[in-house]
Amino acid sequence: PIIEGDKIVNPVYDPNKVYNFVVFGNFDTNNDFVYTPQERSELAALVEEWGGRVESDISGETDFVVLGQRPTLPPAPKIDDPIEIVQRYRRLAQEQRKYDDLFNTASNTGIPVLNQNRFYTLTGLDSR
């Protein structure tokens, strides 16, 4: 039996450890069933509120990758479309490639990939 004064040791848990997260994709943090890239910053703020650190890309220090929904591409622009539409399409295509690269890198290196719900469960934020 455990009695007062006993030292309990967990070789895995370290209360001083700061976990590093990469957060990418489209999220629905306000539960309106609309997944947007803007809500990514809200999820990143939750990581920091919980005590984690948000990284922009995977490194040797990354503990978890949190991926939302994969960015979707609109139809490819036509040759005579305004430059703004072409630039938006290129930006979204680049985001899709980064999403795929993050997922593949994390999978190949054994870094756990979490969705929004699993992130909430890991951090205990699902009870809010």
Side-chain angles (χ1 to χ4, degrees), residues 2-66:
I2 299 174
I3 59 172
E4 189 175 331
D6 283 352
K7 300 275 185 199
I8 300 174
V9 178
N10 182 333
V12 177
Y13 177 71
D14 179 358
N16 298 318
K17 166 87 168 117
V18 175
Y19 289 95
N20 296 306
F21 292 80
V22 173
V23 179
F24 199 80
N26 298 334
F27 293 92
D28 176 24
T29 57
N30 61 5
N31 297 318
D32 65 355
F33 303 104
V34 178
Y35 293 78
T36 66
Q38 292 77 18
E39 292 177 73
R40 178 186 320 157
S41 61
E42 293 175 24
L43 196 75
L46 287 174
V47 167
E48 292 173 349
E49 178 184 314
W50 179 72
R53 184 177 305 129
V54 178
E55 303 174 330
S56 60
D57 210 347
I58 292 176
S59 71
E61 301 295 316
T62 304
D63 297 298
F64 299 97
V65 174
V66 183

